[in-house]
Amino acid sequence: MSTDTDQPPRTSLPGLPALVRHDLPASLVVFLVSLPLSIGIAVAAGAPVAAGLIAAVVGGVVAGLLGGSTLQVSGPTASLTVVVAESINQFGWAATCFITVLAGGLQILFGLSRIARGALAIAPVVVHAMLAGIGVVIALQQVHVLLGGNSLSSSWDSITGLPHQLASVRPGDLFVGLLVIVIMVGWRRLPAPVRMVPAALVAVLVATLLALVLPTSVEHITLNGSLLDELRLPQVPGGGWATVALMAVTIALIASVETLLSAVAVDRLRQNSARRTDLDRELLAQGSANMVSGLIGGLPIAAVIVRSITNVKAGAQGKASTMLHGLWILLFSVALVGVVRQIPKAALAGLLIVVGIQLIKLAHIRLAKRTGDLVVYAATITVVVFWNLLLGMLVGLALAGALLLWRVVRVSVIAEPVEAGRWRVTVDGTCTFLALPRLSAELAKVPTGADVTIEMTVDFLDHAACDAIEEWVRQHRLDGGEVQFVEMGTARMAGAADAPPARGHSRHLLDEVLGPWRRTAAHVDPITAGIAAYHRSHAHVMRPHLGVLRDGQEPDSLFVTCADSRIVPNVITNSGPGDLFTVRNVGNLIPADRQDSSMEAALIYALDKLDVRSVVVCGHSSCGAMEALHAEAVTGSGLDDWLALARPSLERFRLGHPVARAAAAAGFGPVDQLGMVNVAVQLETLYSHPVVRRGVDERGVVLSGLFFDIATARVVEVTVAGIAEIDDARRPVAALPA
């Protein structure tokens, strides 16, 4: 077993060979994806172009070095574009940098308080709708830039101003922007080797080259000097501190949530990796990066899911890839500033329109519709688009909470006749005083003097609801009716008045179901107690299932297993009444040459009369019969004669049966190895039986061997040649622990 000392510390960088083979190429791919997006996000937010590049550099180097994730890539993100643009409009760029510093400080506090896991409790539908709303806002704003104008401050202005902008369109900008959109959309249809080059880079590069030769004018982005010349210190706002604090909190929350969701997504991509993201440390790193970015004139930073996934798919192994991508952006911005100045604004607008639309995912809308959360999604996206981001998030969370509360407290009450003179009242859900109107209305439907069965499947029952039911029952009995209770839920009428109401847990129900199986006092008959519990809690549920079997049985399988009390065939096969024709004996033996009339009768009846489609032999671990057989114990009783029928299994085991070798490789002990060999031998014996062979040859009856490992509650498939784990894809278990 590995220890913590076997793994390098999280801050360590990979060795030189791994860096050259994996991280260096991956960093170049991420750099090519990040460069145009960073510039475009800065332009969309109304910030200096250099601010996006600075944020990309700081996100790569600072967040990459200090972060709790090995492969996550940070930088300027589209999800913060709207709130940054609003901050710039209200306070200016220098004050926005100060707000970024404050947001970074809040993120550091989040990390120190270790609340990162709590942030993941935000309803996913709210996050999905918030990102979709941001996408709509970005697309509406950038359409004006695509047409040769300027982005407007609000979505409503963008919509109402669109006719005027269409009347004054600039053909060169429109052509360049549409070309970028076409390349971005069509890139995925090209061959895989071509798609290795990032679509965003190709689209912006082609548009930039084309803009140089177009006969009409095209507006370019503005960058006064190199990246080092654009470094700026933040400025303390002159007033409006409540709004400043609100902006800082908004940036910190959005950046933190996006970072944590990105970390979870990256961890899912690396399911085979033992190194998971330290979420609290990641927040500390993001906060530090935002403080640095704000102090030197950069945009706010968050982990970006697109760049992070690109980094993983590019084959990165460590933090060097993330950090190197930041250094490549720094070198490009300092040495090739002239190239940056040639990028058309419309090209970035086309890029951002595609990015914005990609934030609106049809899969999320379908999921919200299926789960009944569409109203939350629609309300959140509407408020984000036409008001602001923070208000949209708050409205979404409030609606999600209200919907959750409604789902938790609601109860289903149905009163209906089941036969002449008998009614059934079902109460399902959370039964509180809020359910009293519905409860009273349904109970009033029951005729006076009728016999009533009240079936209660509730997990919360308060005193008010319990009192109302008891009062109705008392009155109904006085009027000559009979009332019986069937309580399936974890909250029961008998205990409602004994303590404050509390949500029940399945453990209480499990205690009742399993109670007869456990040791009880000497004066309590566990079978009688179990029958009473069955009649009270499960008989009415079983009745519909057993009704169709009233006139005969149609099992699918003959199941031969050991008489051991720890084996419950229907549980380990997830089958129900009527599915298994079960035969149990000590050691799950099938005597050869028809030496046991009981087994002979079972085989003939199952195969010739019941037409079962499969025959299963199931052994188990720690089998007493196999222990006695392995030790060649002699008891002097009839047990010796019975176990003598299993001598062929012992002989095959000692000769090194393939099943024994596979079981030993999987870590099973000698007795369990013998148990598995015994299953394989019984399968051979079965196939030699004329009735079984005829069923296999003529009707396609399947013979199967199973072994139930009690310690792990795991079922292993046994064949005449080996063993395999049973899951969606059966796999050899030679490498699995016993």
Side-chain angles (χ1 to χ4, degrees):
M1 179 179 295
S2 63
T3 64
D4 293 337
T5 57
D6 296 328
Q7 299 291 338
R10 290 185 183 271
T11 55
S12 65
L13 298 180
L16 185 60
L19 189 151
V20 174
R21 289 180 54 197
H22 302 288
D23 292 327
L24 182 59
S27 71
L28 292 172
V29 174
V30 178
F31 157 70
L32 295 176
V33 172
S34 179
L35 179 65
L37 291 175
S38 299
I39 297 173
I41 290 169
V43 173
V49 173
L53 298 172
I54 292 171
V57 174
V58 174
V61 177
V62 178
L65 177 64
L66 302 178
S69 174
T70 306
L71 299 180
Q72 190 156 250
V73 181
S74 302
T77 173
S79 63
L80 290 171
T81 301
V82 176
V83 66
V84 172
E86 185 177 349
S87 176
I88 293 174
N89 289 334
Q90 291 192 39
F91 301 104
W93 170 241
T96 299
C97 291
F98 178 80
I99 293 174
T100 301
V101 175
L102 292 181
L106 286 174
Q107 286 186 289
I108 291 177
L109 292 178
F110 294 162
L112 292 174
S113 59
R114 308 186 71 81
I115 63 171
R117 291 285 177 185
L120 296 177
I122 295 177
V125 65
V126 177
V127 177
H128 297 161
M130 182 183 70
L131 293 176
I134 293 169
V136 172
V137 173
I138 292 174
L140 288 174
Q141 290 179 346
Q142 294 306 306
V143 163
H144 288 265
V145 181
L146 183 77
L147 297 172
N150 296 314
S151 61
L152 302 179
S153 58
S154 71
S155 299
W156 183 251
D157 290 340
S158 297
I159 295 173
T160 57
L162 192 57
H164 178 267
Q165 187 63 59
L166 287 170
S168 57
V169 64
R170 298 178 59 174
D173 292 289
L174 178 60
F175 181 77
V176 167
L178 290 178
L179 177 64
V180 170
I181 293 176
V182 170
I183 294 176
M184 290 285 292
V185 173
W187 198 252
R188 68 185 66 181
R189 302 183 184 277
L190 297 179
V194 179
R195 295 200 308 270
M196 293 179 64
V197 182
L201 178 69
V202 174
V204 173
L205 181 60
V206 171
T208 301
L209 295 175
L210 184 63
L212 297 176
V213 299
L214 281 177
T216 182
S217 62
V218 176
E219 187 175 0
H220 299 273
I221 66 175
T222 302
L223 184 60
N224 297 325
S226 72
L227 191 65
L228 299 178
D229 297 329
E230 294 293 319
L231 298 179
R232 295 287 185 271
L233 291 175
Q235 179 180 334
V236 178
W241 284 101
T243 307
V244 168
L246 188 61
M247 288 287 183
V249 170
T250 303
I251 292 174
L253 288 176
I254 295 173
S256 299
V257 170
E258 182 172 4
T259 294
L260 296 175
L261 293 176
S262 174
V264 172
V266 170
D267 284 346
R268 286 176 180 172
L269 286 176
R270 306 174 67 225
Q271 292 181 354
N272 294 329
S273 174
R275 184 175 297 177
R276 296 297 180 185
T277 299
D278 184 335
L279 297 179
D280 295 305
R281 178 172 177 170
E282 185 66 20
L283 284 187
L284 289 172
Q286 295 292 327
S288 302
N290 269 317
M291 293 191 74
V292 173
S293 183
L295 285 172
I296 61 177
L299 284 171
I301 290 168
V304 188
I305 185 63
V306 175
R307 295 173 214 178
S308 301
I309 292 177
T310 300
N311 193 36
V312 174
K313 292 184 176 179
Q317 298 293 315
K319 293 185 175 184
S321 173
T322 302
M323 298 170 63
L324 284 174
H325 115 273
L327 294 178
W328 302 145
I329 292 178
L330 176 61
L331 292 175
F332 178 88
S333 305
V334 172
L336 299 174
V337 64
V339 176
V340 178
R341 291 197 187 102
Q342 299 302 319
I343 299 176
K345 278 189 175 181
L348 297 176
L351 172 65
L352 289 167
I353 288 173
V354 175
V355 171
I357 293 175
Q358 287 176 342
L359 291 175
I360 310 168
K361 299 188 181 298
L362 292 178
H364 292 162
I365 298 175
R366 295 191 192 101
L367 178 63
K369 183 179 180 181
R370 287 198 307 270
T371 57
D373 295 325
L374 192 58
V375 63
V376 178
Y377 188 95
T380 303
I381 193 173
T382 301
V383 177
V384 169
V385 171
F386 292 106
W387 279 271
N388 62 66
L389 194 60
L390 182 60
L391 182 60
M393 182 189 296
L394 294 177
V395 168
L397 291 175
L399 281 176
L403 185 61
L404 174 64
L405 180 63
W406 177 75
R407 288 168 174 169
V408 168
V409 302
R410 70 175 177 172
V411 63
S412 171
V413 185
I414 300 175
E416 57 186 357
V418 291
E419 56 188 43
R422 173 164 290 278
W423 280 62
R424 178 174 61 214
V425 178
T426 58
V427 184
D428 187 5
T430 301
C431 196
T432 68
F433 65 92
L434 297 175
L436 291 182
R438 178 69 182 275
L439 185 64
S440 300
E442 290 296 311
L443 291 175
K445 296 179 181 179
V446 180
T448 301
D451 292 340
V452 183
T453 300
I454 300 180
E455 299 178 358
M456 299 187 64
T457 310
V458 297
D459 58 356
F460 187 92
L461 179 67
D462 70 1
H463 182 265
C466 179
D467 189 58
I469 295 173
E470 288 181 339
E471 176 60 26
W472 181 87
V473 170
R474 185 187 67 80
Q475 186 61 48
H476 190 75
R477 285 172 174 167
L478 288 176
D479 293 336
E482 290 293 331
V483 181
Q484 291 182 339
F485 279 93
V486 175
E487 297 186 68
M488 278 286 293
T490 51
R492 302 299 175 93
M493 292 282 293
D498 297 337
R503 186 166 299 279
H505 298 283
S506 58
R507 180 69 188 182
H508 302 154
L509 183 60
L510 185 66
D511 287 341
E512 179 171 306
V513 174
L514 298 182
W517 294 7
R518 299 191 174 119
R519 295 183 182 275
T520 56
H523 64 279
V524 178
D525 181 359
I527 299 299
T528 302
I531 293 173
Y534 164 73
H535 283 160
R536 183 171 61 253
S537 300
H538 296 85
H540 73 295
V541 177
M542 297 290 291
R543 192 180 304 121
H545 301 284
L546 294 174
V548 298
L549 302 173
R550 178 176 51 192
D551 298 324
Q553 58 173 321
E554 296 181 359
D556 180 78
S557 304
L558 167 62
F559 198 88
V560 181
T561 190
C562 186
D564 193 290
S565 62
R566 295 167 293 181
I567 311 302
V568 187
N570 290 99
V571 172
I572 64 175
T573 58
N574 194 32
S575 54
D579 293 339
L580 302 180
F581 185 74
T582 305
V583 176
R584 308 185 69 149
N585 60 46
V586 174
N588 45 270
L589 302 181
I590 299 165
D593 301 326
R594 307 180 187 184
Q595 299 178 48
D596 180 68
S597 58
S598 174
M599 178 58 68
E600 181 74 9
L603 287 174
I604 294 174
Y605 189 76
L607 289 157
D608 285 350
K609 295 294 184 181
L610 300 179
D611 292 329
V612 296
R613 292 189 290 267
S614 69
V615 180
V616 180
V617 180
C618 181
H620 66 94
S621 61
S622 304
C623 178
M626 294 299 106
E627 289 178 355
L629 182 64
H630 185 265
E632 298 190 76
V634 177
T635 65
S637 64
L639 182 60
D640 296 336
D641 297 333
W642 177 255
L643 289 181
L645 300 174
R647 293 290 302 183
S649 298
L650 181 61
E651 294 169 0
R652 300 283 292 279
F653 166 73
R654 289 175 173 172
L655 291 174
H657 194 281
V659 169
R661 295 198 299 269
F668 290 96
V671 173
D672 291 345
Q673 295 171 33
L674 174 58
M676 293 185 189
V677 171
N678 181 59
V679 170
V681 171
Q682 303 312 314
L683 289 177
E684 295 175 351
T685 303
L686 269 174
Y687 189 66
S688 67
H689 194 288
V691 173
V692 178
R693 182 186 291 269
R694 185 171 63 250
V696 172
D697 295 340
E698 297 178 2
R699 294 194 295 111
V701 172
V702 177
L703 302 184
S704 302
L706 302 177
F707 185 85
F708 181 57
D709 183 17
I710 296 173
T712 62
R714 190 174 60 187
V715 180
V716 175
E717 182 183 25
V718 179
T719 68
V720 295
I723 62 177
E725 183 181 35
I726 296 181
D727 54 11
D728 292 335
R730 296 179 179 180
R731 302 169 295 171
V733 298
L736 292 178

